[in-house]
Structures are given as structure tokens and as C-alpha cells.
């Protein structure tokens, strides 16, 4: 628990816990930053690297989902601008509506379908409770009463239907979440290898780049199945 992300922090930790402690360590779990592990593995080659699954998913969301969302928004907006210059106002307005949906979709795309379904269910119940509370008091709800959104899944599906690349990236993101929680090492490695091939063949630039990230961090990801560690407890 020190400030900084350099080799010095690792050396300070090792001095603090001592040699006997380090000899009994089987694996370390960390984010996708590779600053720490070379310092550890050089002194203790028996220790495995286990990347934190949350950080891998978070990286995927930023480098693939969010990056693709921004790219698709810019692409459609550019088409809308060209249509407007050519005097095709209706086409331009329709394209800008499409672009706005994609621009506003960050929350839906960065959240799993299961989580969105749970949120919709909870919001429906909360909205119902609010309405019943006013009914019990014998008064009408105020016109500006805040109601929680109940159609997150519907909004997600609308975006995915309108953009094939985002739909592919979202589906592969869900697959990746499932794969990194497999606790059979050989099965996990086989599924991950299949996932990488699919990403490479997707014709989506962001997915192809992330496939390279997976390959360059292969051992630390594979060891998620072997050790099942997470830094979430921190």
C-alpha cells in the first residue's frame, strides 16, 4: 500500500513481508499494467501471474466497445453532414437521429444484459411504489415526478439492431466475460483461442487490436483458470 507504480514499490513490499513469505507465494493478481510482475518474476520465477478479470473486462469495454461507439458516431455524423451539404435534409436528420442513439448508448453498451435486466426490474418496482404512495395519499403525482428508466434492455437492443459492428463487439464481450470465469485451464484456453480467432476474423478493427492484446497477455489470462484470483477484495 504505497504510492507509485514502479519497481521500487515491489522491492519495498518484498522487504516488508520477507523472503520466507515470498517463497510460499504461488501467484500474484494484478491489473493489465506489466510494471510489477517482471520485478517479481526475476527474483521468484516460481510465481505465476494472474490478471484480474475485472480489469480485463474494463479494458475491453474501453478499447473495443467505447472506442467503436465513438468511431461509429463520427462515421454516421460525417454522412449526415455530407447529406446536409447536398440539400438532403430528411436524410441528414435521420442519420443524426441514428448518430445520437449511438452517442447516448454508452451506459447500455458498457453494461451486461443481465445487469440491465435487473435494473429494469428494480426500476419498475420503485416506480410502482412511488405511484402507489401518492395514490394512498389520495393525491395525483406531481407532473415533474422523476421516474426511473424501465426500458434499458429495449434501448440496448435498438442500438445493437442498428449497428452490426457494435452488435458483434457486444456479443464477443459477453463471451469473453464467460470464458475468463471458466475454472478448467485446458477448456478455458481452448475457448479463449477460439475467441481470438473470431475477433481476428470479425473485420472490426477494435476487435482485431484487442485480439493482439489477449495474445500478448496470454499467460496471465490463462492463469485466471488455474488460480481463480481477483483483486476485487481490495
Amino acid at each position: 500500500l504505497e504510492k507509485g507504480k514502479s519497481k521500487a514499490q515491489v522491492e519495498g513490499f518484498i522487504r516488508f513481508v520477507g523472503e520466507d513469505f515470498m517463497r510460499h507465494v504461488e501467484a500474484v493478481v494484478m491489473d493489465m499494467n506489466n510494471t510489477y510482475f517482471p520485478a517479481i518474476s526475476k527474483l521468484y520465477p516460481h510465481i505465476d501471474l494472474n490478471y484480474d478479470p475485472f480489469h480485463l473486462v474494463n479494458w475491453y469495454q474501453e478499447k473495443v466497445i467505447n472506442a467503436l461507439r465513438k468511431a461509429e458516431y463520427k462515421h454516421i455524423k460525417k454522412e449526415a453532414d455530407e447529406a446536409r451539404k447536398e440539400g438532403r435534409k430528411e436524410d441528414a436528420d435521420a442519420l443524426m437521429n441514428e448518430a445520437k442513439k449511438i452517442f447516448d448508448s454508452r451506459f447500455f453498451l458498457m453494461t451486461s444484459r443481465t445487469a440491465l435486466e435487473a435494473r429494469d426490474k428494480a426500476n419498475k418496482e420503485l416506480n410502482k411504489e412511488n405511484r402507489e404512495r401518492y395514490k394512498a395519499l389520495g393525491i395525483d403525482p406531481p407532473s415533474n415526478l422523476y421516474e426511473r428508466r424501465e426500458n434499458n434492455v429495449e434501448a440496448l437492443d435498438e442500438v445493437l439492431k442498428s449497428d452490426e459492428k457494435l452488435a458483434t463487439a457486444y456479443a464477443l464481450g459477453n463471451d469473453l466475460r464467460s470464458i475468463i470465469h471458466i475454472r478448467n485451464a485446458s477448456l478455458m484456453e481452448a475457448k479463449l483461442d477460439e475467441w481470438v480467432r473470431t475477433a481476428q476474423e470479425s473485420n472490426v478493427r477494435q476487435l482485431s487490436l484487442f485480439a493482439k492484446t489477449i495474445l500478448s497477455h496470454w499467460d496471465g489470462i490463462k492463469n485466471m483458470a488455474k488460480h481463480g484470483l481477483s483483486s476485487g477484495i481490495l
Side-chain angles (χ1 to χ4, degrees), residues 196-208:
V196 167
R197 287 201 306 273
T198 303
Q200 289 171 331
E201 295 167 1
S202 66
N203 293 321
V204 178
R205 178 177 168 274
Q206 291 81 358
L207 279 169
S208 299

Side-chain angles (χ1 to χ4, degrees), residues 36-233:
Y36 292 140
F37 192 67
I40 295 171
S41 60
K42 185 177 179 180
L43 296 170
Y44 306 97
H46 71 280
I47 295 177
D48 286 341
L49 170 61
N50 178 152
Y51 287 125
D52 176 48
F54 168 80
H55 282 91
L56 180 62
V57 171
N58 188 60
W59 203 353
Y60 180 87
Q61 289 175 326
E62 286 298 336
K63 299 295 184 182
V64 178
I65 299 290
N66 204 30
L68 182 57
R69 178 187 69 89
K70 290 177 180 178
E72 292 294 277
Y73 168 75
K74 287 179 181 177
H75 174 71
I76 297 172
K77 186 177 181 299
K78 184 179 178 181
E79 288 185 344
D81 291 341
E82 289 173 356
R84 203 172 299 281
K85 286 178 184 177
E86 294 170 2
R88 294 183 288 115
K89 185 179 181 302
E90 287 187 7
D91 290 345
D93 289 345
L95 285 165
M96 277 310 300
N97 284 335
E98 199 65 34
K100 188 177 185 306
K101 283 180 188 177
I102 290 176
F103 183 82
D104 293 338
S105 67
R106 187 180 191 279
F107 169 72
F108 313 124
L109 293 170
M110 302 281 272
T111 308
S112 70
R113 180 177 291 274
T114 303
L116 290 177
E117 288 170 349
R119 183 178 285 259
D120 282 349
K121 182 180 178 182
N123 286 350
K124 284 177 184 177
E125 291 172 358
L126 287 168
N127 289 336
K128 183 181 178 183
E129 286 175 12
N130 279 338
R131 289 190 292 269
E132 288 178 348
R133 191 176 296 118
Y134 282 100
K135 187 178 180 181
L137 292 170
I139 57 176
D140 293 329
S143 58
N144 62 345
L145 176 68
Y146 171 73
E147 290 222 332
R148 298 167 188 267
R149 185 166 192 155
E150 300 177 1
N151 66 337
N152 288 293
V153 173
E154 184 182 328
L156 168 68
D157 287 338
E158 192 174 338
V159 172
L160 297 182
K161 284 176 185 176
S162 69
D163 196 292
E164 186 178 348
K165 288 183 178 180
L166 281 171
T168 299
Y170 189 83
L172 282 178
N174 287 333
D175 290 344
L176 185 62
R177 277 191 183 93
S178 300
I179 290 168
I180 62 177
H181 288 96
I182 294 172
R183 289 294 164 258
N184 179 303
S186 58
L187 176 61
M188 192 259 216
E189 197 165 3
K191 291 285 186 183
L192 193 60
D193 185 59
E194 183 181 338
W195 188 96
V196 167
R197 287 201 306 273
T198 303
Q200 289 171 331
E201 295 167 1
S202 66
N203 293 321
V204 178
R205 178 177 168 274
Q206 291 81 358
L207 279 169
S208 299
L209 290 173
F210 199 81
K212 291 181 180 178
T213 297
I214 294 285
L215 292 172
S216 65
H217 293 76
W218 189 266
D219 288 342
I221 296 172
K222 179 184 69 177
N223 284 336
M224 290 179 183
K226 182 178 177 182
H227 298 288
L229 297 174
S230 167
S231 59
I233 193 169

